C-alpha cells in the first residue's frame, strides 16, 4: 500500500486550482462584489464555497468516477437550466440590493464577519457544481494530466484534491486581500454601481446558460 504520494502532484494540483479559479465568471464576480461591500472576510466566504465545489468535483474526477461525468453530460440540459436560473435570481437580488459598506469595527471582527457571511459559502458552492462546463472541464483536466503526472493510488488522488483546493484557496485569499485593501476608495454610490454591474453580469451569465440550451433544443 502506497503511503507517500508522488510529490510532483502538489505543485501541479496547486496550479490547476489557481487556473480553474482565475477565469472571470459568476463566482469571481460575486467574490469581488462581496469583498468590496464587506471586506476581506466577505470575499473569502464567497471563495470558500467555490473552493469546496472545486474540491468535490476534483474528488470524483481523481477517483475515476466516469459514471459521474457521463451522468453530468446526460443531464447537462437540466443542470445548466437550474444553474442559469439560480444565476438570474442571484443577479436580480444583487442588482436590487441597497449598497451597504461594512464599517471598520465589523471588518475587524473577523470570525463574526465570516459567520455572518456564511450564506455565501453554499451559494457559491451551488454555482460551482451546477456549471456543467466547469465540471466537465475539470474531468478533462484530470484526463490530460495523466500524461504528465502519474496518479495511481488513493493517496495520490487525495493529494491531488487537497492541492487543487489549496491552489483555489490561494487565489481567493489573494483576490479578497487585494480588493479588501482597495475598498476604502469606494463610496456607497460606487457600491451601488458595483452591485448593478455585478448583478447584470450574473444575469447575463445565467441568460447565456439558458440561451445555449434553448438554441440547442431549437435546432
Amino acid at each position: 500500500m502506497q503511503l507517500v504520494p508522488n510529490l510532483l502532484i502538489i505543485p501541479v494540483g496547486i496550479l490547476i486550482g489557481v487556473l480553474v479559479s482565475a477565469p472571470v465568471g459568476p463566482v469571481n464576480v460575486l467574490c469581488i462584489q462581496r469583498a468590496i461591500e464587506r471586506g476581506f472576510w466577505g470575499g473569502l466566504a464567497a471563495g470558500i464555497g467555490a473552493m469546496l465545489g472545486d474540491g468535490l468535483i476534483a474528488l470524483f474526477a481523481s477517483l475515476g468516477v466516469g459514471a459521474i461525468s457521463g451522468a453530468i453530460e446526460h443531464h447537462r440540459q437540466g443542470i445548466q437550466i437550474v444553474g442559469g436560473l439560480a444565476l438570474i435570481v442571484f443577479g436580480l437580488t444583487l442588482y436590487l440590493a441597497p449598497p451597504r459598506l461594512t464599517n471598520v469595527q465589523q471588518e475587524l471582527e473577523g470570525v463574526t464577519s465570516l459567520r455572518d457571511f456564511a450564506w455565501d459559502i453554499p451559494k457559491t458552492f451551488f454555482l460551482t457544481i451546477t456549471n456543467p462546463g466547469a465540471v466537465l472541464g475539470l474531468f478533462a483536466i484530470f484526463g490530460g494530466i495523466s500524461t504528465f503526472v502519474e496518479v495511481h493510488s488513493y493517496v495520490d488522488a487525495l493529494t491531488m484534491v487537497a492541492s487543487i483546493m489549496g491552489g483555489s484557496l490561494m487565489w481567493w485569499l489573494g483576490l479578497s486581500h487585494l480588493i479588501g485593501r482597495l475598498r476604502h476608495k469606494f463610496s456607497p454610490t460606487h457600491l451601488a454601481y458595483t452591485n448593478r454591474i455585478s448583478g447584470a453580469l450574473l444575469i447575463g451569465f445565467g441568460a447565456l446558460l439558458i440561451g445555449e440550451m434553448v438554441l440547442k433544443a431549437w435546432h
Side-chain angles (χ1 to χ4, degrees), residues 141-153:
I141 288 174
F142 265 90
I145 63 171
S146 61
T147 60
F148 301 100
V149 180
E150 295 181 352
V151 181
H152 291 310
S153 67

Side-chain angles (χ1 to χ4, degrees), residues 17-160:
V18 172
L19 292 178
V20 298
S21 302
V24 176
V27 177
N28 268 282
V29 170
L30 189 59
C31 179
I32 291 172
Q33 187 277 333
R34 289 297 192 251
I36 292 174
E37 181 183 67
R38 302 172 175 176
F40 171 79
W41 291 107
L44 182 60
I48 287 175
M51 178 198 70
L52 294 175
D54 290 336
L56 180 63
I57 299 167
L59 178 62
F60 285 121
S62 66
L63 296 178
V65 187
I68 300 293
S69 178
I72 292 170
E73 187 63 49
H74 182 71
H75 298 288
R76 178 168 184 159
Q77 182 174 357
I79 295 172
Q80 193 158 327
I81 290 175
V82 170
L85 289 174
L87 281 173
I88 291 174
V89 171
F90 293 154
L92 284 172
T93 302
L94 185 56
Y95 187 90
L96 299 173
R100 292 178 294 110
L101 283 167
T102 56
N103 57 38
V104 176
Q105 182 62 31
Q106 290 172 318
E107 187 177 349
L108 290 175
E109 296 172 355
V111 177
T112 303
S113 297
L114 185 57
R115 182 191 62 201
D116 292 340
F117 308 146
W119 168 236
D120 285 332
I121 296 177
K123 184 184 295 184
T124 50
F125 175 82
F126 178 78
L127 291 179
T128 301
I129 64 174
T130 55
N131 185 343
V135 174
L136 295 174
L138 199 47
F139 271 82
I141 288 174
F142 265 90
I145 63 171
S146 61
T147 60
F148 301 100
V149 180
E150 295 181 352
V151 181
H152 291 310
S153 67
Y154 286 113
V155 174
D156 286 342
L158 293 177
T159 301
M160 178 64 78

Side-chain angles (χ1 to χ4, degrees), residues 14 157-167:
I14 291 174
L158 293 177
T159 301
M160 178 64 78
V161 172
S163 300
I164 290 175
M165 293 180 69

